Amino acid sequence: MDFSLLGPVTVTTGPSAAPVELPLGPAKRRSVLAMLLLRPNATVSVEQLISSLWEDEPPAHARTVIQGHVSRLRAALAEGGAEDHGVELTTHSSAYLLRIPEALIDTQRFDQLTAQASPESAPGEAVRLLNQALGLWRGPALTGTVASPPFAAAAHALEERRLSAVEALARAHEGLGEHEQAVRVLHPAAVANPLREGLIAALMLALYRSGRQSDAIAWFHRTRQLLDDDLGVDPGQRLSAAYQEILRAAPTADGPQGGPESGGQPGVQQAPSAPSHQPSAAASAPAPVPELLPRPPAGFHGRVAELAELSRLALGTDAAGQGGAAGGYPQEGGIALLTGPAGVGKTGLAVHWGHAHATAFPDGRLFADLRGFSGGEAAVPAEVLREFLLALGTPAEQIPTSPEAASALYRSLTARRRLLVVLDNAGSSAQVRPLLPGGPHCATLVTSRSRLDGLIATDAARPVRLHALGPEDGVGLLGTLLGPARVAEDPEAARELVALCDGLPLALRAASAQLVARPRWRLARLATALRDERRRLALLSAEDTGVAAALRNSVARLSADDAQLLRALGAGFAREVNTAEAAALSGADPELIQDSLDRLAEMHLLDEEATNRYVMSDLVKLFAQGDGSGRGDGPGEASGLPSGEPPRGPDQP
């Protein structure tokens, strides 16, 4: 069992290869748990919780709300096997106490690892420990809690500890003579914290010792200007001392290296230019290496042919891994378009491939969820461009306000880099085009439930169609998620589960979540329950993620007429239909029906197996008939479907 505060507040349980996240509920409930985890094995009063959860005047029934959240947290923890891990949430008068082994909390493990690291006396071991500690971070601390001063202060304190660890890691690399590696560690933190003088001073010295004296001086002048403009103060002692050391050209272990950046001959130390002639930090600082890919999908299995095809398209390599263009890169920036129905594993495949080929993209990996099929508003390309430009080292004040200018700057910055760009969950070709990089050594992976024919026509994107997993790979995925021994107990039931899930990785993951949460269940018991078509979609859901939620977001993109046709098809035929039969079922003009069938196939709600022969999967058919929950989630109400919170990762394998 693992409790995480260094990023989104989560609790996971189950095997490390396929952890299952417990449903913690809304932000206030997560905030209650976060406050208890910030003070493990100590009582937290109801008054403290109330003051943390409500920034303004709390409601009269605040105590009752807190009690309700605690009760539901107890139930969620119990369902996840908290007792087996020594975790207990108890009540003490008007306070609560979370008894927990501190090793289960990522903040405690982080503190233990950083305390063991000694950058000065044992730099090699410190690099290992500090990398392990910083690897526990998955984003801004306490993400998902309420926006109140107590949580803001706690998040700030955790961030300070992270930055101290970053500085310690850089010192350890410096102690090993790895100055360039120290620059790589410090640069992203310095960009994000431009007024943290100790961090800037460390970066300046690392740059200087790497032979980048002009870059180091440029950082000093930029920081000095920011301090004057924002705070009205001069540089402090650490920043000034670092600057003076660089100006004195004091000898270093490696010695400053001459070259294009220093503007002099090798081995000759150049005097610094006047401040007015210093290059801007954006121009002279080493290009950052953005790492925006989500973590690799747990339990990824299969897709050998698709992975090889991605390598061929994106890297110019064949299935045997032999290079196409020089250096293994395509002659032109390759665009691979991963398409397929909701839940088939597009996002997971793209992310898995990106991590597996990280070394092919030494200049970084960018990722954006375009939210084309997430039930809410799609991402605006200009906003994504801003995030990409920041990640590539462009100061915020230098990002153009015009979308066209920002796109041009983005193409310029990527023109000579070897980058991977993953544009996930695209809703249209127009949403993708401004985000395509400009370099011949860049590769772009686009995922979408739509075919995006326009991107194929105008940008030579090459489609990779993902189909459902076959029986062997489906059973293999179950074995990865549940453990091979549990699947081996009843292989026939495992194959039946794959069939009942239509071979969709999302459905198989939801089914596995049911079984992980119920370790005493045999696979046959769940298979029996899934045979009941009235319950199948409900069982193949895990909180707000599942097949029904993913399909609901696809159907929400349909017109009322297309949604009505889908509903008629779901109720009117067993497996396949042609245009004439569809027209008879819906009572509409065959020419109009043909267009609707094409649009449904484009969205992968139908599959055109042959000319004028359309097939609907069992799960889509069940959804089209109504999910059996009585909530009216069928496509007949597509124009007014409840949007809810978009399920993250409907295409995880």
Side-chain angles (χ1 to χ4, degrees):
M1 204 167 199
D2 187 69
F3 294 77
S4 299
L5 298 176
L6 303 179
V9 176
T10 58
V11 181
T12 54
T13 188
S16 57
V20 176
E21 185 174 326
L22 298 185
L24 297 181
K28 281 189 168 57
R29 194 173 307 154
R30 290 175 184 268
S31 301
V32 170
L33 177 62
M35 187 58 69
L36 294 170
L37 290 170
L38 288 169
R39 303 173 186 178
N41 302 305
T43 57
V44 179
S45 69
V46 173
E47 287 75 15
Q48 288 175 302
L49 290 171
I50 290 174
S51 64
S52 299
L53 266 61
W54 285 277
E55 184 175 359
D56 300 322
E57 185 69 23
H61 60 290
R63 286 178 173 271
T64 304
V65 172
I66 297 290
Q67 291 170 359
H69 286 317
V70 170
S71 176
R72 287 170 176 80
L73 284 173
R74 280 200 189 103
L77 293 174
E79 184 74 14
E83 184 178 355
D84 296 337
H85 296 274
V87 178
E88 183 183 14
L89 178 52
T90 61
T91 303
H92 292 261
S93 184
S94 60
Y96 298 102
L97 182 146
L98 183 63
R99 291 194 178 91
I100 181 173
E102 294 188 354
L104 299 182
I105 310 174
D106 59 358
T107 53
Q108 301 296 320
R109 298 199 301 275
F110 175 83
D111 288 342
Q112 183 179 19
L113 289 165
T114 54
Q116 293 172 354
S118 180
E120 287 73 25
S121 60
E125 178 67 4
V127 166
R128 183 186 70 83
L129 292 169
L130 291 167
N131 274 322
Q132 187 177 347
L134 291 167
L136 296 172
W137 284 75
R138 298 168 298 111
L142 303 179
T143 298
T145 57
V146 298
S148 67
F151 281 107
H156 177 74
L158 290 170
E159 176 64 10
E160 285 293 312
R161 281 144 67 179
R162 186 188 74 84
L163 291 174
S164 295
V166 168
E167 293 174 350
L169 177 59
R171 292 199 304 276
H173 280 300
E174 293 274 16
L176 296 170
E178 299 169 350
H179 307 303
E180 188 61 41
Q181 189 60 36
V183 171
R184 288 181 177 272
V185 168
L186 292 166
H187 188 271
V191 170
N193 299 271
L195 297 178
R196 190 180 177 94
E197 294 186 57
L199 187 63
I200 307 301
L203 175 60
M204 288 168 54
L205 291 173
L207 286 167
Y208 166 66
R209 291 162 185 161
S210 300
R212 298 190 176 101
Q213 182 189 25
S214 61
D215 295 344
I217 293 173
W219 269 98
F220 172 79
H221 287 292
R222 185 181 77 159
T223 306
R224 177 185 57 79
Q225 189 64 50
L226 285 174
L227 289 168
D228 184 42
D229 292 344
D230 293 359
L231 304 178
V233 298
D234 293 326
Q237 181 179 0
R238 286 188 64 183
L239 198 62
S240 298
Y243 183 53
Q244 291 301 320
E245 180 177 340
I246 295 168
L247 292 183
R248 288 195 304 269
T252 64
D254 298 334
Q257 302 167 1
E261 290 187 339
S262 63
Q265 300 177 359
V268 178
Q269 185 64 47
Q270 301 295 312
S273 305
S276 60
H277 298 293
Q278 291 301 327
S280 68
S284 62
V289 181
E291 293 288 353
L292 303 188
L293 280 185
R295 63 183 182 180
F300 185 89
H301 182 85
R303 301 298 192 194
V304 175
E306 292 88 345
L307 288 168
E309 180 67 0
L310 280 186
S311 295
R312 185 184 73 81
L313 295 174
L315 298 179
T317 58
D318 60 21
Q322 296 177 348
Y329 293 92
Q331 294 291 345
E332 297 181 356
I335 304 172
L337 175 58
L338 284 164
T339 66
V344 80
K346 301 180 290 294
T347 302
L349 178 63
V351 172
H352 176 83
W353 187 91
H355 282 284
H357 294 82
T359 56
F361 304 102
D363 296 322
R365 294 169 290 170
L366 300 173
F367 177 92
D369 178 7
L370 302 184
R371 304 193 300 275
F373 295 88
S374 293
E377 292 187 8
V380 178
E383 296 175 354
V384 178
L385 275 174
R386 178 178 176 81
E387 296 302 318
F388 281 2
L389 290 171
L390 288 171
L392 291 169
T394 306
E397 66 274 9
Q398 295 183 19
I399 295 176
T401 56
S402 161
E404 293 77 13
S407 186
L409 176 59
Y410 168 64
R411 291 193 299 272
S412 175
L413 289 175
T414 58
R416 297 183 180 179
R417 301 191 190 192
R418 291 175 175 175
L419 282 167
L420 172 65
V421 180
V422 179
L423 303 174
D424 183 41
N425 198 8
S428 67
S429 300
Q431 190 185 25
V432 170
R433 289 190 186 101
L435 305 175
L436 296 175
H441 298 313
C442 295
T444 305
L445 305 185
V446 181
T447 78
S448 180
R449 299 183 197 178
S450 175
R451 290 198 307 254
L452 299 189
D453 295 341
L455 201 65
I456 297 173
T458 62
D459 296 276
R462 294 293 179 259
V464 179
R465 168 70 192 275
L466 263 64
H467 298 276
L469 296 175
E472 184 177 346
D473 279 338
V475 171
L477 177 58
L478 284 176
T480 302
L481 297 172
L482 298 172
R486 195 168 180 188
V487 172
E489 290 177 355
D490 197 345
E492 289 298 325
R495 283 190 286 272
E496 184 179 5
L497 280 176
V498 174
L500 290 166
C501 292
D502 281 348
L504 285 180
L506 176 63
L508 289 168
R509 286 183 175 274
S512 298
Q514 297 276 5
L515 292 167
V516 169
R518 299 166 178 82
R520 294 183 180 85
W521 277 28
R522 293 177 61 86
L523 272 63
R525 179 171 177 180
L526 180 59
T528 300
L530 289 174
R531 290 184 204 131
D532 184 349
E533 293 186 347
R534 297 169 299 176
R535 300 179 59 202
R536 191 179 305 171
L537 287 176
L539 288 170
L540 295 180
S541 297
E543 199 178 6
D544 60 352
T545 298
V547 177
L551 288 173
R552 188 176 302 118
N553 290 333
S554 290
V555 173
R557 292 284 302 271
L558 300 177
S559 68
D561 289 342
D562 290 350
Q564 182 62 35
L565 174 60
L566 184 66
R567 184 177 184 180
L569 295 178
F573 76 96
R575 175 158 176 78
E576 65 180 59
V577 70
N578 59 34
T579 303
E581 291 166 340
L585 284 171
S586 63
D589 185 289
E591 291 187 5
L592 297 177
I593 288 298
Q594 181 63 61
D595 291 340
S596 288
L597 288 172
D598 289 343
R599 286 190 292 269
L600 293 177
E602 182 182 356
M603 297 283 287
H604 296 98
L605 292 165
L606 296 179
D607 191 9
E608 189 175 11
E609 288 193 342
T611 302
N612 197 25
R613 196 178 94 197
Y614 298 89
V615 174
M616 179 183 289
S617 72
D618 288 342
L619 292 177
V620 173
K621 179 182 176 183
L622 290 176
F623 182 84
Q625 294 170 349
D627 67 0
S629 68
R631 294 192 306 258
D633 286 341
E637 292 138 34
S639 60
L641 282 174
S643 60
E645 183 179 342
R648 181 64 199 105
D651 292 328
Q652 294 292 336

